[in-house]
Amino acid sequence: MLPEQFTERMKALLGEEFPQFYDSYQRPCCRALRMNPLKAERASFLEAAPFSLREVPWEGNGFYYGQEDQPGKYPWHEAGVYYIQEASAMAPAAFLDARPGERVLDLCAAPGGKTSQIGAAMRGEGILFCNEIHPARAKILSENVERMGISNAVVTCETPERLAQRFPGYFDRVLVDAPCSGEGMFRRQEEARQEWSEENVEMCAERQDLILDSAADMVRPGGRLVYSTCTFAPQEDEGSVSRFLQRHPEFSVVPVSPQNGMSGGRPDWIRQPCPGLEGTVRLWPHRLEGEGHYLAVLQKEGSGVSGGSGFGRFGLQRGIPEKDCQEYFRFREETLSVSRRGLFLRFADQLYLAPENLPSLEGLKVLRPGLHLGTLKKGRFEPSHALALALAEGEALRTHAVSASGEDARAWIGGMTLPAEGEKGWYLVTVDGYGLGWGKLAGGILKNHYPKGLRRQMRE
């Protein structure tokens, strides 16, 4: 099951502990999800969720679910009520400790689990940049940002070097969940085992050095950088952090006390370790309920104020005047009970609401510059699916409720129309109170505006 060279290395590193580590690969993987506090209250979620849930110790919104449960096929998933995420992978964003109003960067963000965790912590306040260098993965990232109802996120598809040139010293917090050799995922992913080699470990370590150098440039004085991997390789874990600290003495390790089965870093596993590596964190599949992970919390010397004067090299993004959004304002008056603050941006006929004080996006590859409001058409406005997923039930003047336990929810996700009575116009379709999509009522029929691409996914 495990690559021979990997097994020999781990046997040498772990010594008497190796049999426990090896035996963990014979146990089934733990399954977990993370409730989305942008959508649900913890107590009501736990009371109503039809799953067998147990708390993940290091993430207050994280829960293990039973092997028999299938939350990915439950309508709440499509409403963004939770994100299915491996439990150990919840730790890095938890230690990043992002807060409302800050400027935060998730540099290697796809598919979006940690981004959605950060976005939930920020509560829609501040600016969250989430970046992915590979276009196809960036598209998946953007889709997950939409599903989870994150309104203050800017999704980019750029190299770390290019972002560093644009945003020196800009971010309060930066997460680097680095591309790695994936040894911590061997139990879950056969592909990770098949692609593993010592040469790949070396290549990943070199790539991690470059990514971390770019990340360091973007952290403001006094800011926090969290580095994480899903591998056991010392060269990519303590080794990457130690090399980084040698190149960037302005950073130091913020020591983390091991908890809930975690262990400290192992400076004795690498050559020329920098001080403080024992304060980094390892997560082991034989010590806790989760897969293999590593993280280090690093702080940049100096002091700075969150939301300070740094706006990147190109100044602030300019929006369009409200007079150019009259179709949207008419829709809002007729359909919504709330208004949101932000910067209106228009790309072709698509209207977005970007975070206030957004730095200029000129010249960047941007997939999502904030909350997608919808399409400006001649004399009318058509709301986006993203807007529906960002709304709470009480924020729409007209709603049509369906139940996750009934047939209407699945029919709606599948693209079917529903019989309904009421005033003509746009309705927020909700499943158990959570925004699910838009319908337009006329003649006793609620026309389905659920995106066709998502309908096909549900049928599969």
Side-chain angles (χ1 to χ4, degrees), residues 50-226:
F51 315 123
S52 303
L53 299 177
R54 294 182 297 110
E55 293 185 2
V56 173
W58 46 87
E59 167 51 56
N61 295 315
F63 301 93
Y64 299 103
Y65 61 86
Q67 297 288 334
E68 71 283 359
D69 293 322
Q70 295 182 310
K73 295 183 179 181
Y74 198 66
W76 286 8
H77 179 270
E78 303 311 305
V81 180
Y82 48 77
Y83 190 102
I84 298 173
Q85 185 178 25
E86 197 278 310
S88 292
M90 300 178 191
F95 283 103
L96 185 70
D97 194 25
R99 304 189 182 167
E102 292 185 325
R103 298 175 299 194
V104 182
L105 169 64
D106 187 355
L107 186 54
C108 312
K114 296 175 179 67
T115 284
S116 64
Q117 193 174 355
I118 296 167
M122 295 178 72
R123 291 282 180 176
E125 301 177 22
I127 301 174
L128 171 58
F129 271 79
C130 33
N131 180 72
E132 173 56 46
I133 191 172
H134 299 290
R137 286 172 55 80
K139 184 173 183 287
I140 295 170
L141 167 65
S142 183
E143 291 169 352
N144 279 321
V145 165
E146 174 176 289
R147 182 172 65 88
M148 302 304 284
I150 303 171
S151 61
N152 61 326
V154 177
V155 181
T156 58
C157 180
E158 288 287 354
T159 66
E161 294 84 359
R162 183 163 164 77
L163 289 179
Q165 293 170 0
R166 291 290 294 265
F167 302 111
Y170 178 77
F171 293 101
D172 298 301
R173 300 173 195 266
V174 175
L175 174 64
V176 175
D177 185 43
C180 68
S181 56
E183 296 172 359
M185 294 293 108
F186 280 178
R187 184 164 62 170
R188 296 175 68 92
Q189 298 177 2
E190 182 179 355
E191 183 181 2
R193 299 194 300 270
Q194 293 176 342
E195 294 181 353
W196 183 89
S197 69
E198 290 288 2
E199 292 75 19
N200 190 42
V201 170
E202 176 72 30
M203 180 187 70
C204 288
E206 293 176 358
R207 182 168 51 190
Q208 290 154 7
D209 289 349
L210 296 174
I211 294 172
L212 278 170
D213 286 345
S214 294
D217 292 341
M218 290 185 275
V219 179
R220 69 161 172 84
R224 172 171 289 196
L225 169 62
V226 170

Side-chain angles (χ1 to χ4, degrees), residues 263-274:
S263 68
R266 296 296 300 266
D268 54 313
W269 285 354
I270 64 169
R271 298 177 181 178
Q272 300 179 328
C274 280

Side-chain angles (χ1 to χ4, degrees), residues 423-451:
E423 183 184 3
K424 290 175 59 177
W426 289 102
Y427 282 68
L428 177 67
V429 177
T430 62
V431 54
D432 300 338
Y434 305 119
L436 183 62
W438 291 109
K440 197 168 188 182
L441 180 60
I445 297 295
L446 192 63
K447 184 180 179 182
N448 196 317
H449 283 259
Y450 202 85

